[in-house]
Amino acid sequence: MYRSIIFASISLFAAVNGQGAGDSTKEVHPKLTAQKCTGSESCSAIGGTVVLDSNWRWVHNKDGYENCYDGSEWVDEYCPDAATCTKNCVLEGVDYKTTYGISTSGDALTLSFVTEHEYGTNIGGRVYMMDSSDKGYQLFKLKNQEFTFDVDVSNLPCGLNGALYFSEMDADGGPAEAGAAYGTGYCDAQCPHDIKFIEGEANVEGWTPSETDPNAGSGKYGTCCNEMDIWEANSISTAYTPHGCTQSGPYRCEGTECGDGDERYSGVCDKDGCDFNSYRFGEKSFYGPGMTIDTKKKFTVVTQFITDDNTANGKLVEIRRIYVQDGKVIQNTASKIDGVEGDSITDAFCDQAKTAFGDNNDYKKKGGLAPMDKALTNGMVLVMSVWDDHAAHMLWLDSSYPLDKDPSEPGVARGTCPTDSGVPAEIEASAPKSTVTFSKIRTGDLNSTYPSKLARKVRRS
């Protein structure tokens, strides 16, 4: 929601996106099965592999093995300007498990937070699901459908985020020679500036190294698109959030349209989004260790995209959440905040929440659910990641935020983590073996992806 993503990468070979592919390491995508269902007993395979985002990859000169990007800065010899850098540099294949701590087993994907390897240390990671060709991203069209997965967040403490979400990326990875097979073309509603190549061009101009992350920086341009956060969570808190944009993505932004700093609400995307976090809406004992959703154990997350006419051609009017754990269907909590009614995301719910919390209603200004309707019609790319937060220490997810507001005010408290938690250097040292595991990914007709005998009839708005 309030995240300003600065992705960490391997310490020696700082990560970037490039045009071509190198030949030092063969790229072999880890296998991961997913299912498309029309009924609980009628599912077929989709996807088949995952690919690491290009921003984590080593990029070197095309004719050798010298870094094009070192630490948090571009190497002038190869990258004096965008065009030269794009021509000179290629990105490499990777050893997923040894270097990045990414592993799969059948229908399960595990992402490790810190991985020590022979070249240095990798922090976090982000992968995309590929389609059956293993050359393009799998596109998910989810109107009048549901998306379901199992997750284990038991090993994610305060300050970390094991995220699963959809991004309005191009299926082919955009205008990069290496393309989706090398994880190119990322965008999201935060319009991140730390992406090294945007629309096939090096983001060299105006590049400024990060003051807190030794492997990151930011360039003149950002890359924006609609983003549907199905799952942002650790073992303490969780939220699901649509972020709409007035521009279809991927869209390269500059200046005010990126919505940076004091211009946050003048950009093309709704960076805050409209989040549903049960703790924030007054239910303090629903999600966490030993609670109704017991995060010490694996559970199932179901997200339903409801339309006004119960067809894929209808207008998206509601995004609902259901859980399943220990064979029991658990409905989402209803708001306990005065003036806010509902247990799901609708335009009316979001308007009430923004008023009750005193938040800027950029959600409404950017069109409410309408941008997400369009993106889900066209198809979105599945993203899974684990990360820490150099900008806001993940307090917007699991603590009290903003820090200048009283935690007793409606909407400020989002979880039980201390307000001094989540400092990246501290959590990287204290919880390096943290992991998140996503498994049994499936999508399909409403009430088809979890046991139908447990499902109640979906309530329509």
Side-chain angles (χ1 to χ4, degrees):
M1 185 175 125
Y2 279 93
R3 60 182 176 168
S4 177
I5 306 174
I6 304 176
F7 292 101
S9 57
I10 52 176
S11 297
L12 181 61
F13 297 140
V16 305
N17 180 357
Q19 288 300 280
D23 58 7
S24 175
T25 301
K26 183 178 181 181
E27 176 71 12
V28 179
H29 300 150
K31 294 182 178 179
L32 183 70
T33 59
Q35 300 287 319
K36 170 71 173 178
C37 304
T38 56
S40 60
E41 304 299 327
S42 180
C43 297
S44 58
I46 58 172
T49 63
V50 292
V51 62
L52 179 69
D53 182 283
S54 59
N55 225 43
W56 267 259
R57 296 171 183 268
W58 175 35
V59 166
H60 60 81
N61 65 310
K62 185 182 297 185
D63 299 321
Y65 300 101
E66 299 294 327
N67 290 343
C68 285
Y69 181 89
D70 191 15
S72 58
E73 297 183 275
W74 295 97
V75 176
D76 286 341
E77 180 179 356
Y78 303 111
C79 295
D81 56 68
T84 303
C85 186
T86 303
K87 181 180 178 180
N88 283 343
C89 301
V90 295
L91 57 89
E92 272 298 342
V94 299
D95 183 330
Y96 280 79
K97 186 172 183 179
T98 301
T99 305
Y100 295 93
I102 298 170
S103 62
T104 62
S105 178
D107 65 5
L109 166 72
T110 297
L111 302 174
S112 301
F113 177 44
V114 178
T115 302
E116 304 285 348
H117 52 84
E118 63 176 312
Y119 302 115
T121 303
N122 178 70
I123 307 297
R126 182 171 66 214
V127 300
Y128 312 118
M129 178 166 283
M130 301 293 285
D131 65 18
S132 59
S133 75
D134 202 34
K135 297 178 180 179
Y137 301 132
Q138 178 73 42
L139 291 182
F140 289 81
K141 300 180 179 182
L142 295 174
K143 286 172 60 179
N144 198 44
Q145 299 279 287
E146 65 188 22
F147 183 88
T148 300
F149 61 95
D150 289 2
V151 65
D152 184 346
V153 295
S154 62
N155 197 28
L156 286 180
C158 294
L160 291 185
N161 189 339
L164 182 152
Y165 57 106
F166 289 100
S167 168
E168 192 185 22
M169 297 162 60
D170 289 332
D172 63 1
E177 181 182 332
Y182 283 77
T184 63
Y186 181 72
C187 59
D188 67 36
Q190 302 304 315
C191 301
H193 288 261
D194 69 320
I195 306 303
K196 308 303 187 299
F197 281 76
I198 300 174
E199 292 187 355
E201 185 176 72
N203 196 16
V204 172
E205 186 175 352
W207 188 265
T208 303
S210 168
E211 295 181 356
T212 61
D213 187 339
N215 296 304
S218 60
K220 174 181 178 180
Y221 300 106
T223 179
C224 313
C225 64
N226 288 290
E227 173 188 354
M228 179 63 227
D229 291 330
I230 298 285
W231 185 253
E232 293 197 282
N234 51 40
S235 61
I236 304 302
S237 293
T238 184
Y240 73 103
T241 312
H243 296 267
C245 302
T246 57
Q247 292 278 356
S248 295
Y251 176 76
R252 189 174 78 165
C253 70
E254 62 176 303
T256 298
E257 60 186 1
C258 296
D260 302 324
D262 292 340
E263 296 181 315
R264 181 178 184 87
Y265 302 111
S266 299
V268 299
C269 291
D270 174 19
K271 294 191 173 188
D272 291 0
C274 174
D275 65 297
F276 197 113
N277 173 333
S278 291
Y279 193 97
R280 192 180 188 209
F281 283 95
E283 183 50 76
K284 310 296 187 182
S285 60
F286 180 68
Y287 179 93
M291 296 186 184
T292 303
I293 304 298
D294 185 358
T295 58
K296 292 185 293 184
K297 302 183 292 183
K298 183 169 65 175
F299 52 91
T300 300
V301 181
V302 184
T303 308
Q304 298 180 324
F305 296 87
I306 311 301
T307 63
D308 61 351
D309 66 357
N310 305 337
T311 76
N313 296 320
K315 176 184 175 182
L316 179 67
V317 294
E318 182 181 14
I319 305 174
R320 294 192 57 78
R321 169 57 51 82
I322 300 169
Y323 298 91
V324 183
Q325 190 172 47
D326 295 334
K328 179 183 178 182
V329 173
I330 304 169
Q331 300 298 327
N332 195 30
T333 57
S335 170
K336 292 185 175 180
I337 302 297
D338 288 343
V340 185
E341 298 182 355
D343 60 359
S344 63
I345 291 176
T346 66
D347 284 350
F349 174 87
C350 293
D351 287 346
Q352 292 173 3
K354 296 293 185 180
T355 298
F357 296 158
D359 292 341
N360 188 311
N361 196 351
D362 206 33
Y363 168 85
K364 185 174 184 177
K365 296 174 187 175
K366 298 299 191 292
L369 285 176
M372 200 57 56
D373 179 302
K374 182 177 180 180
L376 291 172
T377 298
N378 295 334
M380 302 182 78
V381 175
L382 175 61
V383 186
M384 292 166 283
S385 68
V386 62
W387 58 290
D388 56 4
D389 183 358
H390 283 262
H393 301 172
M394 219 69 73
L395 302 179
W396 53 268
L397 175 66
D398 59 22
S399 185
S400 294
Y401 194 83
L403 293 175
D404 60 355
K405 288 191 174 182
D406 189 329
S408 66
E409 294 180 22
V412 176
R414 299 133 191 272
T416 59
C417 294
T419 54
D420 61 355
S421 65
V423 178
E426 295 177 1
I427 198 167
E428 288 164 18
S430 65
K433 296 187 181 300
S434 299
T435 60
V436 63
T437 298
F438 299 107
S439 59
K440 294 186 68 175
I441 296 169
R442 50 231 190 257
T443 185
D445 296 341
L446 298 174
N447 297 326
S448 71
T449 64
Y450 64 108
S452 58
K453 65 181 180 180
L454 299 177
R456 69 170 175 83
K457 184 176 178 64
V458 179
R459 176 176 63 79
R460 310 282 182 171
S461 293

